[in-house]
Amino acid sequence: MSWRRGGGGDGGGVSRRWAVLLCVGSFCLGLLFTNRMWTLPEASEIARPNANVEEGNVPVAGECGSKKVQEKQDYRDILQVQDSHHDVQTLDKTIASLETELSAARSLQESLLNGSPVAEEFKVSESIGRRKYLMVIGINTAFSSRKRRDSIRYTWMPQGEKRKKLEEEKGIIIRFVIGHSAISGGIVDRAIEAEDRKHGDFMRIDHVEGYLALSGKTKTYFATAVSLWDADFYVKVDDDVHVNIATLGQILSKQALKPRVYIGCMKSGPVLSEKGVRYYEPEHWKFGESGNKYFRHATGQLYAISKDLATYISINKHILHKYINEDVSLGSWFIGLDVEHIDDRRLCCGTPPDCEWKAQAGNICAASFDWRCSGICNSEGRIWEVHNKCAEGEKALWNATF
């Protein structure tokens, strides 16, 4: 094959060898030009969409650049964690406070919906804010215990203006705790209302009274008390126990800065599985083999819990299990929680001569009762004897600083 110039008939042309060389040279030039203009990316620079989507990363060009960006991001994360540590602690405290207020609001709402009476103290606190108290002492009582209540009023519980002074100056609230009868508004309810109008020292709760329902009453008491008063401690005491208020206040005030405190005379009695005996435990099978003992818990005559534990009960009251014995129930509610159990034997002294000898030695008891009666035997008459021989004296209360 040959190429010829058009025109005359002279035979100048390009040989076949030169034609082949020109083609090969053009092809090589074409390859060189293409490689320079269309440089293929390295394998490491090619984005891997599936891997990046799975790992949650944004595709970046170059492995080295990716490492630098990641290192900078990790360093920023570390700085943010360090800077926010204090903020997290502050938020924890704020959340705990909000939970308390939410619990109080829920309890108030339930009381209003159920038609239960709301204490005047709470109505006032809605407008002026809740003041802080040292402790709320709830005296567990029954409809038939009028004589017991009167014996307490005339011995260790201040009355009238002195009770108001105790609340204002010492931050101590004392109330008899009682619910309502199965037939609300019956004669026993009206009797309590008349007694309350005279003395003004009751805390009515949304609970149907009954000895076998003490666990539910205890739970409702704490939930109601924490919604009405903002206190460091909430105390439950039976109406056949003698109490020295100043000594009790001093014991509790020393624990005020600790979180989740459970104070009382700790015990671990046997689980009674025989029907008909006192303190029979219907759910004895839950505690293992026959003859086993209960977990450690405070005896039921008097115990105290800190505010955060009372709030915990209030928030979870609908799912907390109730055993037949209320002191066992309370102890069971704290199992699994980071709670400090404080065993103080001044909260469970015996009646004279025990508390009398201790008072003479300067070791005044906070609470006195007879173990064999789970309270002061025949307390309506004998509490006077206990008060005369074991009381701390009225000046001790008014001169006390907590």
Side-chain angles (χ1 to χ4, degrees), residues 9-290:
D10 51 328
V14 181
S15 67
R16 181 177 297 177
R17 180 181 296 176
W18 284 107
V20 171
L21 290 175
L22 285 173
C23 288
V24 171
S26 298
F27 180 76
C28 292
L29 287 173
L31 287 176
L32 179 64
F33 176 80
T34 303
N35 287 337
R36 292 195 174 212
M37 295 299 294
W38 302 97
T39 302
L40 293 174
E42 296 293 333
S44 63
E45 297 177 354
I46 300 176
R48 295 177 298 163
N50 293 337
N52 284 311
V53 169
E54 293 173 358
E55 297 170 3
N57 299 326
V58 178
V60 292
E63 183 177 342
C64 183
S66 172
K67 290 181 178 179
K68 290 180 179 180
V69 171
Q70 186 62 41
E71 289 174 358
K72 290 180 180 179
Q73 183 63 38
D74 292 342
Y75 181 69
R76 283 200 287 278
D77 291 342
I78 292 172
L79 289 178
Q80 290 176 356
V81 170
Q82 292 175 343
D83 293 340
S84 63
H85 181 69
H86 181 267
D87 294 337
V88 170
Q89 291 179 329
T90 304
L91 282 173
D92 286 341
K93 294 179 180 179
T94 303
I95 290 171
S97 177
L98 289 174
E99 286 179 343
T100 301
E101 297 301 326
L102 177 61
S103 173
R106 285 173 175 169
S107 296
L108 175 64
Q109 183 183 34
E110 290 180 2
S111 296
L112 293 174
L113 291 175
N114 294 328
S116 301
V118 179
E120 293 296 326
E121 290 89 344
F122 186 78
K123 295 177 181 178
V124 173
S125 68
E126 289 181 306
S127 59
I128 65 176
R130 306 177 79 194
R131 65 157 288 181
K132 189 73 174 180
Y133 295 92
L134 170 63
M135 61 180 172
V136 175
I137 302 176
I139 307 172
N140 179 42
T141 192
F143 290 118
S144 60
S145 299
R146 174 62 186 266
K147 291 182 178 180
R148 287 186 179 183
R149 291 191 293 271
D150 285 340
S151 67
I152 289 177
R153 291 182 179 116
Y154 296 122
T155 52
W156 62 266
M157 180 180 178
Q159 292 297 294
E161 293 300 320
K162 288 184 178 180
R163 183 166 58 83
K164 293 182 180 179
K165 180 181 178 182
L166 183 67
E167 297 176 3
E168 296 171 359
E169 295 185 6
K170 304 300 180 182
I172 299 175
I173 303 290
I174 307 178
R175 295 290 188 275
F176 289 104
V177 181
I178 197 166
H180 56 83
S181 63
I183 304 175
S184 185
I187 186 171
V188 290
D189 291 301
R190 294 198 299 270
I192 291 295
E193 291 170 2
E195 189 178 343
D196 192 25
R197 285 193 297 269
K198 178 179 180 181
H199 298 283
D201 54 7
F202 278 94
M203 185 175 101
R204 303 297 301 275
I205 61 175
D206 184 21
H207 170 79
V208 178
E209 286 292 325
Y211 180 77
L212 297 179
L214 286 179
S215 293
K217 183 175 183 179
T218 300
K219 183 164 54 175
T220 305
Y221 157 64
F222 284 123
T224 306
V226 79
S227 72
L228 297 179
W229 299 286
D230 181 11
D232 291 327
F233 291 96
Y234 299 85
V235 181
K236 176 263 177 183
V237 59
D238 289 338
D239 61 3
D240 54 358
V241 174
H242 182 271
V243 177
N244 282 321
I245 302 172
T247 303
L248 177 61
Q250 291 168 353
I251 292 173
L252 298 183
S253 62
K254 292 179 181 179
Q255 312 295 335
L257 298 180
K258 296 180 179 179
R260 299 176 301 280
V261 176
Y262 174 32
I263 306 176
C265 287
M266 299 297 164
K267 66 175 184 177
S268 182
V271 179
L272 302 178
S273 58
E274 184 180 350
K275 289 185 178 181
V277 300
R278 192 178 186 187
Y279 305 128
Y280 163 68
E281 177 56 71
E283 298 179 88
H284 56 86
W285 61 272
K286 291 185 177 180
F287 299 92
E289 300 298 328
S290 178

